[in-house]
Amino acid sequence: MRDLPSTLDVVVIGAGAAGIGAGHALARLGLSTAILEARARVGGRAHTDLDSLGVAWDRGCHWFHTADRNPLRVLADRLGHAYERETGRPPAIATFMDGRWSFGGAVREAVWNALDHVSAEGAKGRDVAAADLLDRSDPLGPLIRHWFALMTSREPEQISAADFSRYDESHVNLPVSGGYGALIARIAANLPIALGVVAHRVSIGTGDDPVVVDTDQGTVKAKACIIAVPSRILAEKRLRLEPSLPDWLERALTAVPMGHYEKVALLFDKPIAAPQPVRYLDIFDPVSSQTSPLNFEISPFGRPIAIAHLAGDQARDMAAAGEEEMIAFTINTLARAFGEGIRGHVRKAVVTDWGKSPFTLGGYSCALPGEADQRRQFSRPVNERVFLAGEYQSEHGFATCHGAYISGIDAAQRVAETLGRAGLAPDPLWLAPGALSSSGLTPAERARAMEGMR
């Protein structure tokens, strides 16, 4: 903080993917900036944990969504950052249901057909609850609901079908073996980021007065500010705007709330062996009302771990019950598919705390039924001086790391226009000097990556 200029062109609050995207775009536009990050690390909800289990695993995002036109996938190529180059819908998915294993086939297609049906109806303008478009008598209903929660971090009754339909899905989703959080940290390596600086208040002056950001380590002044923190931080006023949040922003934050998402990671003495190679596994008993579906990563990249994904109300309620309950639920569910003997192979368990962390407070965003168009409000500046960035601002890439990254670039472009410094078209593949150059890309590579900016 002591090394910052007295006045910057732009101060960015948050060094997650959105703040990092903004930082590179601002550097390209010739605007001086500093990025303030409350945590002792960069990445936000992109966090590759190297320590808790002794093997790498991603506490947050873990694969390239819509990878065929995801600019972060192209940057990974230029950096030589490892990911698995499978194509198609999520690879090697299995289901353990009614005491039997099923690999691909009817169960998987039924789930995707339900998701696609809701998306298709939403694309027709039906801004209704996703739950209204589901067959309530379907015995796979709880599993379908679980997958809606995994994709939106909310329950189908709370999901706008129209908002859901706007997500840009190519069904090419590639796991990042080198760690998604590790990739974001590499991309951020040369940016002016101040770690461990907690911003409390953003005061918006009038006329030519600077924007003043009050932090636990002093104040920062700038001509403009990009707020790149999870939306619930604003909604709960953990970061306050003065004079106050405008009514339109209060309305949008209520209409497009964050949901809940947590993971439970288990370390084993050896990789788990399934009857056939498995990357992702759903364990579900449609007969028993006492069980809840649960999705797992099984021995990802050959590592001796299993990662359970809890989303929506399940994630919220299990987190409230506590870590011991979350771990027990996870191990009990795995034992149904792999037998009671698996308990003796568990060496350690770790639980995420996205909902409790004061710098996150939840999963990611989803518009409520009837409120799909409210997401567009987040592109509006506050008093022409404060701009928002984050996955919640991305109409086509919400709930994704690349959506957040692109939203930061978009916010930087809007700041530049306000400050009279526009003139360059956005380029999601450009990184500040000293990092990766986007030179050497083929025209086809660049064209596909640029599609993600739509």
Side-chain angles (χ1 to χ4, degrees), residues 15-22 43-46 72 184 400-402 404-406 408:
I20 291 165
R45 282 165 285 181
L72 294 175
I184 297 303
T400 70
C401 189
H402 74 272
Y405 189 79
I406 291 170

Side-chain angles (χ1 to χ4, degrees), residues 96-176:
F96 186 83
M97 186 172 66
D98 287 337
R100 297 186 302 273
W101 287 87
S102 171
F103 296 88
V107 173
R108 174 181 169 186
E109 287 305 310
V111 171
W112 281 105
N113 286 343
L115 297 171
D116 290 344
H117 172 67
V118 170
S119 184
E121 292 298 306
K124 297 175 183 177
R126 299 190 65 183
D127 194 359
V128 299
D132 294 346
L133 302 172
L134 298 176
D135 180 359
R136 297 180 185 274
S137 66
D138 190 338
L140 293 177
L143 184 58
I144 292 168
R145 291 176 60 87
H146 183 56
W147 270 87
F148 268 106
L150 291 173
M151 296 182 71
T152 67
S153 77
R154 298 189 73 84
E155 300 301 316
E157 290 80 7
Q158 305 162 337
I159 298 168
S160 160
D163 184 57
F164 185 76
S165 75
R166 292 170 183 167
Y167 175 72
D168 180 23
E169 173 65 87
S170 72
H171 295 300
V172 180
N173 301 294
L174 306 180
V176 186

Side-chain angles (χ1 to χ4, degrees), residues 305-320:
I305 57 177
I307 304 170
H309 292 245
L310 295 82
D313 290 353
Q314 182 189 52
R316 180 200 63 198
D317 296 345
M318 293 297 297

Side-chain angles (χ1 to χ4, degrees), residues 260-413:
H260 299 272
Y261 204 115
E262 303 291 352
K263 295 183 180 182
V264 179
L266 304 176
L267 176 70
F268 295 89
D269 54 10
K270 61 182 179 180
I272 299 175
Q276 293 183 28
V278 168
R279 171 64 54 77
Y280 298 96
L281 169 64
D282 291 314
I283 300 177
F284 170 52
D285 185 352
V287 177
S288 173
S289 61
Q290 303 303 312
T291 63
S292 299
L294 195 56
N295 176 261
F296 288 87
E297 295 172 68
I298 298 295
S299 303
F301 319 113
R303 297 164 192 166
I305 57 177
I307 304 170
H309 292 245
L310 295 82
D313 290 353
Q314 182 189 52
R316 180 200 63 198
D317 296 345
M318 293 297 297
E323 290 190 8
E324 184 176 340
E325 186 71 20
M326 293 174 75
I327 293 167
F329 170 62
T330 300
I331 295 175
N332 290 341
T333 303
L334 267 184
R336 289 167 53 204
F338 292 95
E340 289 296 315
I342 199 169
R343 299 178 188 276
H345 296 282
V346 178
R347 294 295 174 263
K348 193 173 183 181
V350 179
V351 175
T352 62
D353 63 348
W354 296 117
K356 296 179 181 178
S357 167
F359 308 127
T360 308
L361 298 178
Y364 28 82
S365 67
C366 183
L368 298 174
E371 303 284 9
D373 291 343
Q374 283 295 312
R375 194 184 290 278
R376 294 168 179 164
Q377 295 294 315
F378 296 127
S379 294
R380 294 175 58 180
V382 179
N383 293 351
E384 303 302 322
R385 309 290 292 284
V386 173
F387 299 77
L388 306 176
E391 56 80 22
Y392 66 94
Q393 189 262 335
S394 176
E395 188 173 11
H396 303 295
F398 55 88
T400 70
C401 189
H402 74 272
Y405 189 79
I406 291 170
S407 79
I409 297 170
D410 177 66
Q413 292 289 136

Side-chain angles (χ1 to χ4, degrees), residues 28-58:
R28 180 170 178 266
L29 292 161
L31 295 167
S32 62
T33 187
I35 304 173
L36 311 181
E37 170 53 49
R39 291 184 173 93
R41 61 169 180 83
V42 302
R45 282 165 285 181
H47 179 201
T48 303
D49 183 342
L50 302 174
D51 302 317
S52 64
L53 295 179
V55 295
W57 66 286
D58 274 308

Side-chain angles (χ1 to χ4, degrees), residues 176-240:
V176 186
S177 54
Y180 213 150
L183 171 64
I184 297 303
R186 292 181 69 182
I187 291 172
N190 66 316
L191 290 174
I193 299 173
L195 297 175
V197 178
V198 181
H200 298 298
R201 178 173 57 192
V202 178
S203 300
I204 309 171
T206 59
D208 294 330
D209 292 340
V211 174
V212 179
V213 179
D214 293 317
T215 80
D216 62 345
Q217 297 184 34
T219 62
V220 180
K221 297 179 180 180
K223 297 174 184 176
C225 174
I226 295 175
I227 296 178
V229 301
S231 60
R232 194 168 278 148
I233 303 297
L234 286 172
E236 295 193 0
K237 297 180 174 57
R238 302 293 183 97
L239 174 62
R240 291 181 289 121

